[in-house]
Amino acid sequence: MPSFHTSPGTRDILPPQANRWRAFVAVFADVVETAGYDHVIPPMFEDIGVFLRVGESTEIVTKEMYDFEDKGGRHVALRPEQTASVCRAFVEHRPATPWKVWYSGPNFRYEKPQLGRYRQFDQVGIEVLGVVDPHLDVEVIALASEFYARLGLRHVRLAINSLGDDGDRDRYVVALREHFTARLGELSDESRATLERNPLRVLDSKRSQDADVVAAAPSMRDFLGADAAAHFAAVQDGLRLAGIEFVVDDRLVRGLDYYRRTTFEFTAGSLDAAHTAIGGGGRYDGLVEQLGGPATPGIGFALGLDRTLLACDAEGVFAPRSSRVDVFVVDTTGGAHAADLCAQLRRRGVRTDRAWDARSMKAQMKAADRSGAQLVAIVGDDEVAAATVLLRTMDDGSQRTVPRTAVVDDVLAVLGH
Ligand code: HAM
């Protein structure tokens, strides 16, 4: 018989990790819903054209997309991220602005798998459409910071930059191309290839051969127009007022093409270089237009769930928790009483489990022990005859006999429900 394993870059998220994932999304939802963001669920695949807009000169689009022709001959792609889908949804449904939404779920990129880099990975994120106000940039960044704090993370660094408006960015790209072309011989082969496609991405090179040329490259700061510069200054003032620490990194260009003005990235000080970026985002004024909508500014971020949890592990916070039951029912009379008792307790919200297969008392008690339940409700022949249940407190091993009709209320009282 063949035996199957998960595909490279994908994983089974088993208990108790899977509980932790759900708790992660619940904390995120709480933080952003408190700030007025609504939940949105875009599809996991759509017309590839939607994603081509996020950057035809980026690797995410040119090399890493999971795209295929479906049985109806449509060229579709698994989403590599969700910002483009949210903007497409905005154009399709035209909700009132400001449209403030949050999302969570898997994304797909055909990357080289390694720790912290997967082909299927989860993100949580927010997007806001229809607001130019720099105070919103501050709110968006502050929400990510608040979320990290709620997880208990303390070693998260924030870097921000501005990529200016369309014209500013274009002039900067020309200047960068000139700079790198003049020193082409010093660049690595990879950077020479990147330069052809997108000079901005050369700034992202971590290869030591490129370090000097990258360090000497012109800075975006000198190309910002008056509006973009004022916007960036206001964002920095707002962050200071909010008490959020940051550094300005004029080499921060991000991996997608749609960014204008504010961009930002969060890195975990506790992780190794390969996967320190635990979240990022920025403004993408212009993307909605490219998707066929009216001129609409946008800003948002996405945080990598997998990597953020690695950072949590490294800092020893937000530990996974097993979903323990409160009560375990042991029934040595065949199992029908266990079924009845479980149903009654569960109906009242008590987390209850039981043993199966009419096992021996000893085997059932072992299972009760493994379950982590605080209370064990034991039903044997004597209890059935007397219409009682034996309640055992696992902590101290004490036992008492309770009338069958009073057992649910008794359990609720002990658990403090
Ligand atoms: P991104 O920087 O491509 O931005 O991804 C955001 C985060 O997702 C990264 O910081 C990282 O934590 C995580 N991530 C990305 N690729 C992988 C991977 N292969 N394995 C594990 N984690 C990964 C975006 O996706 C934009 N949509 C963010 C945004 C929203 N900008 C504006 N709005």
Side-chain angles (χ1 to χ4, degrees):
M1 292 289 272
S3 76
F4 296 104
H5 299 279
T6 49
S7 294
T10 70
R11 293 147 304 145
D12 294 313
I13 311 300
L14 302 173
Q17 276 295 333
N19 301 337
R20 195 187 192 198
W21 278 43
R22 204 167 51 137
F24 184 98
V25 176
V27 173
F28 185 74
D30 189 44
V31 169
V32 296
E33 287 185 352
T34 303
Y37 290 73
D38 269 324
H39 194 199
V40 67
I41 308 177
M44 266 187 241
F45 64 85
E46 30 191 316
D47 191 302
I48 191 169
V50 172
F51 303 118
L52 295 181
R53 299 288 94 76
V54 309
E56 276 165 295
S57 54
T58 67
E59 300 208 325
I60 293 172
V61 167
T62 54
K63 290 196 194 150
E64 298 172 0
M65 202 113 79
Y66 275 90
D67 64 314
F68 56 97
E69 198 171 287
D70 74 7
K71 291 184 176 25
R74 298 172 200 89
H75 192 179
V76 296
L78 301 184
R79 64 183 183 207
E81 58 112 52
Q82 294 172 66
T83 310
S85 299
V86 168
C87 289
R88 194 266 315 133
F90 176 80
V91 174
E92 192 168 331
H93 306 286
R94 297 292 173 93
T97 55
W99 199 43
K100 295 170 67 174
V101 291
W102 74 270
Y103 52 81
S104 66
N107 309 282
F108 307 86
R109 296 180 192 175
Y110 194 81
E111 297 199 74
K112 194 161 171 255
Q114 52 181 286
L115 183 68
R117 176 162 291 135
Y118 310 103
R119 290 180 176 168
Q120 176 179 332
F121 61 96
D122 265 54
Q123 291 178 337
V124 293
I126 60 173
E127 311 292 346
V128 184
L129 292 169
V131 179
V132 277
D133 192 338
H135 289 114
L136 174 65
D137 305 29
V138 177
E139 168 174 304
V140 164
I141 293 171
L143 283 171
S145 293
E146 166 68 17
F147 173 61
Y148 291 134
R150 286 276 293 274
L151 294 177
L153 286 172
R154 289 184 306 122
H155 302 291
V156 177
R157 286 190 292 255
L158 165 65
I160 63 169
N161 191 20
S162 174
L163 292 178
D165 291 312
D166 259 355
D168 309 338
R169 198 184 141 114
D170 294 346
R171 285 188 298 122
Y172 182 49
V173 169
V174 169
L176 274 182
R177 194 184 295 282
E178 272 170 18
H179 168 78
F180 288 128
T181 307
R183 297 181 64 175
L184 203 59
E186 295 168 65
L187 287 177
S188 63
D189 291 346
E190 293 91 335
S191 286
R192 275 205 292 269
T194 310
L195 178 60
E196 299 242 319
R197 284 200 310 277
N198 187 348
L200 276 174
R201 299 291 298 157
V202 179
L203 291 176
D204 243 5
S205 165
K206 306 279 185 294
R207 288 172 287 272
S208 54
Q209 189 186 337
D210 299 322
D212 287 348
V213 191
V214 168
S219 166
M220 182 68 222
R221 201 172 306 164
D222 302 322
F223 291 81
L224 292 184
D227 289 351
H231 187 101
F232 193 39
V235 172
Q236 293 178 57
D237 286 347
L239 289 173
R240 280 187 208 102
L241 260 177
I244 296 171
E245 281 182 33
F246 63 93
V247 294
V248 175
D249 176 0
D250 63 1
R251 296 291 188 258
L252 181 68
V253 292
R254 311 253 319 118
L256 296 147
D257 272 352
Y258 50 58
Y259 292 109
R260 302 287 179 273
R261 297 202 175 184
T262 316
T263 56
F264 52 91
E265 206 156 83
F266 294 94
T267 50
S270 54
L271 295 179
D272 291 341
H275 55 273
T276 55
I278 55 172
R283 280 202 165 268
Y284 43 85
D285 305 351
L287 181 58
V288 170
E289 262 173 297
Q290 284 185 43
L291 287 162
T296 309
I299 180 169
F301 64 67
L303 314 179
L305 184 151
D306 316 71
R307 284 187 203 176
T308 307
L309 286 181
L310 286 173
C312 289
D313 289 340
E315 290 198 29
V317 298
F318 201 68
R321 258 184 286 159
S322 293
S323 53
R324 285 192 326 162
V325 291
D326 301 315
V327 178
F328 196 91
V329 181
V330 167
D331 177 353
T332 56
T333 69
H337 289 283
D340 184 43
L341 208 48
C342 280
Q344 284 186 26
L345 287 164
R346 288 171 184 168
R347 230 172 273 141
R348 300 290 294 276
V350 178
R351 291 177 299 177
T352 312
D353 201 0
R354 55 166 289 187
W356 303 100
D357 294 337
R359 312 271 303 275
S360 70
M361 173 78 174
K362 197 170 158 211
Q364 293 196 41
M365 284 309 290
K366 227 187 212 168
D369 208 29
R370 260 203 315 269
S371 76
Q374 189 179 331
L375 293 172
V376 179
I378 303 166
V379 186
D381 291 331
D382 293 349
E383 283 76 21
V384 172
T388 58
V389 171
L390 188 62
L391 264 190
R392 183 185 173 98
T393 305
M394 290 305 265
D395 269 357
D396 57 10
S398 63
Q399 303 192 145
R400 50 208 178 80
T401 301
V402 182
R404 178 75 178 76
T405 48
V407 71
V408 174
D409 286 330
D410 196 294
V411 164
L412 287 169
V414 173
L415 296 174
H417 280 205

